[in-house]
Amino acid sequence: MEGTGGHDRERGRVSPRGRPEVAIVGAGLMGRWHARYAKAAGGRVVAIVDPDHARAQDLARDFRGALVFRDFDDCLMVTSASVIHVCTDVDHAALADRVLGAGRHAIVEKPVATSTEEARRLVDMAGKLRLVLCPVHQFAFQRGFGRMLAHRDELGEIVRIEGAACTTDGEGLAAPVRRDRLVGIVPHFVSLFRALVGGVSPVSWHVLASTSDDLSLVTRVATTQLSLFASFRGRPPRYELLVVGTARSARLDLFHGHLVWEAGGLSRAAKVAAPFRRSAAGLSMAALNLAGRALRREPAFPGLRALIGAAYRAVRDGGPPPVPPEEIVEAAELMERIAKSPRT
C-alpha cells in the first residue's frame, strides 16, 4: 500500500492488453459523463471520490465493484487506479499535482492550470515521471472538426477564425466567479486555434472586453485574423467555430459536434440560393450527426469519448499524450494575461 507523500511508477503502468483501472474524482455532471465514457473507452471504473457520499454512491452503483471515498488521499492509498479523472469544479492544478505525485496518469477537466508557472510545473512533472497529463479539450476531437481538418485545403487560404460561446452557466454566481467561468472557456478555443494555425503567442492577443458577463479577444497570425467572444448575456446558448477561407467556409456547431460547409459561389444565383443551401445542409448534417452519435452511444459532450480513448491508448502504449503539453502552457498563459487585464 502506498503512502500519500511519494510516487510509485508501478501504479501508473498498464499492460499492453490490459484495461486501465480508473478513479473518478467528482461525482457531479462531468464526473458522470467521464465515468460513462471511461467504460466505453475500455477503462474499468474502480473508485468514485466525492465529499458528498450519497452522490458518490449513486454514481458507483453503475459500476460493479467501484469503491466510494470521501477523501482523495484514501483513494490513492487503497486503490491501484492507474488513471485519475479530475472532474471537480475547483482545484484542478492542486489535484493534478497530487495525482502525478502519486505516480498516476491524469485526465483533468479544463482548466488544468490558470497560471503559467503552475502549467509549466505540471507539464515538467508529467514529463519527468513519464506520465500522461491530458486536459479535457474535447472540441478538437469531435468528428466534425476532424472532417474539416481532413479537407482543410478546400477552404483555400484561411482569412478569419471566429470562436463564439454563449452560455447560461453563470446564472446565480457572484461576479468574480462568473468572470473566472468565462475565462475558463478559453482553453477549448486555444486547442482549436492551435490545430488550425499552430501556436499563438499569448502576448499577441488584445483583450477588448473582460467583465463578469462578456469576454472578447482578437489577434492575428500572419494573414489570418482570430477572434473569441464568450458571454453569459448572449442568446441563444451556443458554442460555435466559423472558419472563413478564400474558397469556402466551414461552420462547426461545437455543442453537437457537426460541420456545415458554406460554398464560395460568386454568381447571382449562388447568392440567392445560399441561405436555402445553408439551411438544408444544416438540417441534414444535424440529423446525420445525431443519428451517428446515437449509434456511437455519445449522447452528450461530443469529442469527450474520443479524447478519453486517445488518452488511454497513450497510457497503454507509452506514447505522447493526445493534447500537446505546449497547449496546456499556452492556454494558461492566455488565461493569466486576461486575468491581469483591466475590467472593461
Side-chain angles (χ1 to χ4, degrees):
M1 186 174 294
E2 176 194 3
T4 60
H7 75 268
D8 178 359
R9 289 188 185 179
E10 294 297 325
R11 296 277 192 171
R13 291 186 179 176
V14 178
S15 65
R17 295 184 180 179
R19 298 174 63 193
E21 292 189 342
V22 173
I24 306 293
V25 182
L29 175 65
M30 290 311 303
R32 289 181 174 276
W33 285 106
H34 272 255
R36 176 172 179 162
Y37 289 150
K39 181 179 178 180
R44 186 165 74 89
V45 178
V46 299
I48 308 293
V49 183
D50 198 292
D52 186 332
H53 194 67
R55 186 166 73 165
Q57 282 185 317
D58 183 56
L59 178 55
R61 289 190 188 99
D62 295 332
F63 303 94
R64 179 179 295 180
L67 302 176
V68 172
F69 299 91
R70 285 191 175 92
D71 184 78
F72 179 52
D73 288 330
D74 289 343
C75 173
L76 292 177
M77 291 178 64
V78 172
T79 76
S80 58
S82 58
V83 182
I84 312 292
H85 291 242
V86 176
C87 308
T88 58
D89 291 332
V90 293
D91 298 330
H92 293 172
L95 286 169
D97 179 79
R98 290 162 69 187
V99 171
L100 297 173
R104 322 295 176 94
H105 305 281
I107 298 177
V108 187
E109 271 294 328
K110 65 169 183 62
V112 171
T114 56
S115 75
T116 307
E117 181 180 1
E118 280 182 331
R120 286 181 174 154
R121 181 175 57 79
L122 291 171
V123 163
D124 289 346
M125 186 178 186
K128 289 176 182 176
L129 297 176
R130 291 180 293 176
L131 295 169
V132 170
L133 172 62
C134 180
V136 180
H137 299 171
Q138 77 267 21
F139 288 168
F141 292 80
Q142 293 182 357
R143 291 198 171 199
F145 188 71
R147 283 196 297 272
M148 188 194 66
L149 288 182
H151 298 278
R152 176 179 168 170
D153 290 347
E154 297 177 18
L155 291 163
E157 181 185 354
I158 296 178
V159 176
R160 182 177 176 85
I161 307 172
E162 300 177 9
C166 297
T167 174
T168 61
D169 289 348
E171 291 182 356
L173 300 177
V177 179
R178 289 164 63 86
R179 188 171 189 264
D180 288 345
R181 284 281 179 94
L182 281 180
V183 176
I185 292 170
V186 165
H188 273 318
F189 289 95
V190 167
S191 178
L192 299 174
F193 294 153
R194 280 181 59 90
L196 288 164
V197 298
V200 181
S201 171
V203 299
S204 73
W205 285 94
H206 299 281
V207 182
L208 303 181
S210 179
T211 70
S212 60
D213 288 314
D214 299 295
L215 175 66
S216 181
L217 313 171
V218 295
T219 190
R220 180 177 289 275
V221 176
T223 59
T224 303
Q225 188 176 44
L226 281 66
S227 67
L228 170 58
F229 173 69
S231 176
F232 287 132
R233 297 186 301 149
R235 294 294 180 272
R238 69 182 66 200
Y239 270 80
E240 293 180 344
L241 187 75
L242 174 64
V243 184
V244 180
T246 54
R248 62 173 176 167
S249 298
R251 188 180 297 273
L252 289 109
D253 180 334
L254 300 167
F255 263 146
H256 302 102
H258 72 262
L259 164 71
V260 174
W261 291 101
E262 298 181 356
L266 299 176
S267 69
R268 181 183 297 273
K271 292 176 182 177
V272 170
F276 301 100
R277 281 202 306 267
R278 280 198 297 268
S279 297
L283 182 61
S284 62
M285 289 306 301
L288 288 171
N289 176 67
L290 287 173
R293 284 171 54 194
L295 289 172
R296 296 191 301 273
R297 297 183 179 180
E298 189 183 45
F301 299 101
L304 179 58
R305 177 176 172 174
L307 171 62
I308 291 173
Y312 288 178
R313 287 192 294 275
V315 168
R316 183 190 63 220
D317 301 337
V323 176
E326 299 81 13
E327 185 171 304
I328 299 173
V329 176
E330 184 179 321
E333 283 186 289
L334 181 53
M335 293 175 69
E336 190 172 46
R337 177 173 173 79
I338 296 167
K340 292 178 179 178
S341 68
R343 273 62 168 167
T344 56

